[in-house]
């Protein structure tokens, strides 16, 4: 049997990072392994996957064969779901390592599963668990197709990367894609309380101080495995001091990370976010990077950071560098695509680009000035030549009859009235001479001259 293959009839697969899920009861197993839920009812979070009659419940409780592709951030329960499948179904459970297994190993598992199904008596179905399936090559994924298509195996594959980019289409179409969401602080708190009191965990040996709990939740960032690993390290530190309470200092020492004084629901949340944006606006790239680091280390939601950067790209940079918005939006999409901690690099790139970009608030000033006039009642009728003329009888009442098509003019600009009379001649957009907006300033001035020559001609 290859080193890439692990097989236990009717037993779970080895946990990622070493060890076997079959050893969950072993006292030397990591806390995160010992506390892994054994049934769907113990699963924390992912309520959208646990409704009665859901595919996951049908697979586990109804023992119905189907192949699943689990997509979600680290520590959200992908391996746990595989363990639950192994505990609650009467199937042989096999795990392949996506790092070490080859096509030969894939075919070996599928051939073995096919032989088991062909037996006249004692038929045994096989669950094949593949963690980090995105690491499999196309050839390895192709080798899975016969087993999945013919249901010789029930495939449970897990990935942290977007499967539409990392998993071949034929395998996607033959599997049910389940998306797992990051755990909330409340979800992580349930796991911590369970680990502190459960006999499989710390069995009531320690209490967790409130400030230490808050720091632990921030560091976890929605990752259950990380939260329990840090708790176990802190418990070891407390045990070494013969302490019964895991306090903040013990936790900081155990995980070698100082607590960032940052309340995601309080003033500091808004103060640090405000400082980040104002540092970008002030073009201080180093200060901006500092505040970004504080938000990341405090466990701030990266989607919140990304949204603020997208706003800043238009509010503070605008046409000074029109590409800034694209950079910010790309960073926001990267956060959704790959998640933390890797997305910190994308956020940092956006912060650098925005901080160093030429600044202009002309766009927000323009739209706010226009909105203010609309609110003040300056909403005169649309000039008749601009009105819709596509319905019968429209031209008989003058709609669109004198409209001049801009592309027919060699300049691409026809000197005709576009704005309602009440705001005709009002300048909302006043571009700066900074960065790329300087070119727009020249163009705006030229266009306004052409359009307003019409008014001077009208007066003659």
């Amino acid at each position: 049997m290859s080193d890439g293959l692990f097989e236990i009839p009717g037993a779970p697969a080895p946990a990622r990072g070493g060890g076997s899920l079959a050893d969950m009861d072993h006292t030397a197993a990591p806390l995160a392994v010992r506390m892994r839920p054994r049934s769907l009812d113990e699963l924390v979070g992912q309520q959208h996957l646990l409704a009665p009659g859901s595919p996951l419940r049908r697979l586990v409780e109804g023992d119905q064969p189907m192949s699943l592709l689990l997509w979600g951030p680290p520590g959200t329960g992908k391996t746990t779901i595989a363990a639950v499948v192994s505990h609650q179904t009467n199937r042989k459970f096999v795990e392949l390592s996506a790092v070490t297994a080859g096509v030969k190993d894939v075919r070996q598992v599928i051939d073995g599963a096919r032989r088991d199904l062909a037996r006249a008596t004692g038929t045994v179905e096989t669950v094949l668990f593949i963690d980090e399936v995105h690491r499999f090559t196309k050839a390895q994924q192709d080798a899975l197709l016969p087993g999945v298509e013919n249901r010789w195996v029930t495939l449970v594959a897990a990935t942290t990367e977007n499967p539409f980019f990392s998993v071949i289409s034929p395998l996607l179409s033959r599997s049910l894609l389940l998306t797992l969401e990051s755990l909330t602080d409340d979800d992580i708190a349930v796991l911590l309380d369970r680990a502190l009191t459960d006999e499989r965990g710390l069995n009531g040996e320690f209490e967790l101080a409130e400030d230490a709990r808050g720091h632990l939740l921030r560091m976890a960032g929605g990752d259950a495995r990380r939260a329990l690993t840090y708790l176990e390290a802190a418990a070891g530190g407390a045990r070494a001091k013969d302490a019964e309470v895991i306090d903040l200092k013990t936790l900081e020492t155990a995980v070698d990370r100082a607590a960032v004084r940052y309340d995601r629901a309080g003033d500091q949340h808004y103060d640090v976010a405000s400082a980040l944006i104002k540092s970008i606006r002030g073009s201080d790239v180093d200060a901006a990077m500092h505040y970004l680091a504080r938000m990341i280390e405090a466990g701030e939601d990266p989607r919140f950071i990304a949204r603020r950067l997208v706003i800043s790209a238009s509010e503070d940079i605008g046409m000074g560098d029109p590409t800034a918005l694209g950079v910010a939006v790309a960073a926001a999409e990267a956060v959704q695509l790959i998640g933390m901690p890797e997305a910190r690099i994308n956020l940092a790139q956006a912060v650098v680009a925005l901080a160093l970009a030429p600044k202009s608030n002309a766009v927000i000033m323009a739209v706010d000035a226009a909105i203010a006039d609309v609110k003040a009642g300056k909403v005169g009728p649309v000039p008749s030549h601009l009105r819709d003329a596509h319905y019968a009888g429209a031209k008989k009442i003058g709609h669109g009859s004198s409209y001049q098509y801009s592309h027919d003019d060699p300049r691409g600009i026809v000197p005709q009235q576009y704005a309602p009379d009440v705001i005709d001649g009002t300048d909302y957009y006043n571009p700066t001479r900074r960065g790329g907006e300087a070119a727009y300033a020249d163009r705006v001035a030229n266009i306004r001259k052409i359009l307003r020559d019409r008014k001077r001609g009208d007066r003659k």
Side-chain angles (χ1 to χ4, degrees):
M1 185 177 293
S2 166
D3 289 339
L5 181 63
F6 182 89
E7 177 179 336
I8 297 181
R16 178 170 46 179
S20 167
L21 294 185
D23 295 329
M24 289 169 61
D25 293 325
H26 196 284
T27 56
L31 180 62
V33 173
R34 302 200 309 270
M35 292 306 303
R36 181 166 282 129
R38 302 183 181 191
S39 69
L40 291 182
D41 292 334
E42 290 185 11
L43 196 64
V44 174
Q46 317 308 336
Q47 294 304 307
H48 61 294
L49 302 179
L50 302 176
S54 65
L56 186 55
R57 284 204 177 273
R58 294 203 309 273
L59 173 64
V60 173
E61 297 174 353
D63 211 17
Q64 296 183 9
M66 66 181 71
S67 290
L68 299 180
L69 186 57
L70 307 175
W71 173 30
T76 53
K78 298 184 296 297
T79 306
T80 292
I81 289 173
V84 169
V85 171
S86 74
H87 275 285
Q88 293 196 254
T89 61
N90 295 317
R91 295 179 175 129
K92 181 170 67 175
F93 200 89
V94 181
E95 178 181 8
L96 285 180
S97 167
V99 177
T100 60
V103 172
K104 180 180 178 181
D105 299 307
V106 174
R107 289 175 177 163
Q108 178 184 339
V109 173
I110 293 175
D111 289 344
R114 188 178 182 183
R115 286 194 300 270
D116 289 339
L117 289 173
R119 290 175 182 168
T121 59
T123 297
V124 178
E125 295 182 9
T126 299
V127 173
L128 171 59
F129 175 61
I130 301 176
D131 201 5
E132 300 188 55
V133 68
H134 56 272
R135 294 180 179 269
F136 263 7
T137 65
K138 182 180 181 298
Q140 289 168 308
Q141 293 185 37
D142 280 336
L144 291 168
L145 292 177
V148 172
E149 187 168 13
N150 294 288
R151 288 188 175 173
W152 296 329
V153 297
T154 294
L155 175 68
V156 180
T159 179
T160 57
E161 297 191 5
N162 190 328
F164 294 100
F165 296 112
S166 58
V167 177
I168 61 174
S169 296
L171 188 56
L172 267 176
S173 65
R174 290 164 173 80
S175 306
L176 184 64
L177 176 63
L178 300 182
T179 303
L180 281 72
E181 299 173 351
S182 293
L183 300 182
T184 66
D185 284 355
D186 289 341
D187 294 331
I188 298 296
V190 169
L191 294 175
L192 293 177
D193 290 338
R194 187 183 294 172
L196 285 165
T197 59
D198 195 287
E199 62 181 8
R200 289 182 292 156
L202 300 177
N203 199 25
E205 184 180 354
F206 303 100
E207 294 182 11
L208 183 63
E210 282 304 311
D211 53 356
R213 176 187 293 270
H215 184 36
L216 188 49
L217 291 175
R218 287 192 292 271
M219 289 191 299
D223 187 325
R225 186 184 299 107
R226 184 186 304 163
L228 294 176
T229 299
Y230 289 166
L231 176 62
E232 185 175 28
R239 189 177 291 113
K241 298 189 299 183
D242 291 326
E244 296 182 354
V245 176
I246 300 173
D247 57 21
L248 180 61
K249 183 177 181 181
T250 301
L251 178 61
E252 289 178 312
T253 302
V255 301
D256 194 26
R257 280 182 66 178
V260 178
R261 311 300 175 182
Y262 185 96
D263 180 3
R264 280 178 286 180
D267 291 342
Q268 290 178 334
H269 164 82
Y270 297 103
D271 288 347
V272 176
S274 175
L276 170 65
I277 297 306
K278 288 173 181 174
S279 297
I280 290 174
R281 182 181 300 146
S283 299
D284 191 332
V285 65
D286 302 304
M289 194 60 63
H290 166 78
Y291 291 119
L292 174 65
R294 280 175 63 169
M295 297 174 83
I296 291 173
E297 281 298 292
E300 180 60 80
D301 185 345
R303 296 170 298 179
F304 169 77
I305 302 173
R307 287 194 295 269
R308 294 301 299 263
L309 295 180
V310 171
I311 295 169
S312 175
S314 291
E315 179 180 1
D316 294 317
I317 299 169
M319 301 305 291
D321 181 357
T323 67
L325 179 58
V327 171
V329 169
E333 291 177 345
V335 166
Q336 297 283 1
L337 180 65
I338 65 173
M340 297 295 278
E342 290 84 356
R344 76 190 189 284
I345 308 169
N346 309 110
L347 292 172
Q349 180 178 349
V351 165
V352 170
L354 270 57
L356 299 182
K359 305 300 189 295
S360 170
N361 69 345
V363 169
I364 186 174
M365 296 295 288
V367 69
D368 285 353
I371 289 173
D373 277 354
V374 170
K375 288 181 176 179
K378 295 182 180 181
V379 287
V382 174
S384 61
H385 58 282
L386 298 185
R387 297 180 190 178
D388 182 21
H390 288 88
Y391 59 92
K395 295 199 174 185
K396 291 182 180 179
I397 57 176
H399 289 189
S401 58
S402 60
Y403 172 68
Q404 299 178 64
Y405 191 51
S406 297
H407 296 289
D408 290 340
D409 189 287
R411 299 167 297 184
I413 301 169
V414 172
Q416 59 188 336
Q417 181 176 345
Y418 291 95
D421 290 338
V422 68
I423 56 100
D424 191 27
T426 302
D427 294 347
Y428 289 121
Y429 178 52
N430 294 295
T432 69
R433 291 281 173 178
R434 294 189 289 273
E437 197 165 36
Y440 291 95
D442 293 334
R443 180 158 175 77
V444 166
N446 182 50
I447 291 172
R448 284 175 177 160
K449 181 178 184 302
I450 294 172
L451 295 176
R452 287 164 191 180
D453 280 347
R454 164 192 58 81
K455 297 184 71 173
R456 285 190 289 272
D458 291 344
R459 287 194 292 267
K460 288 181 180 178

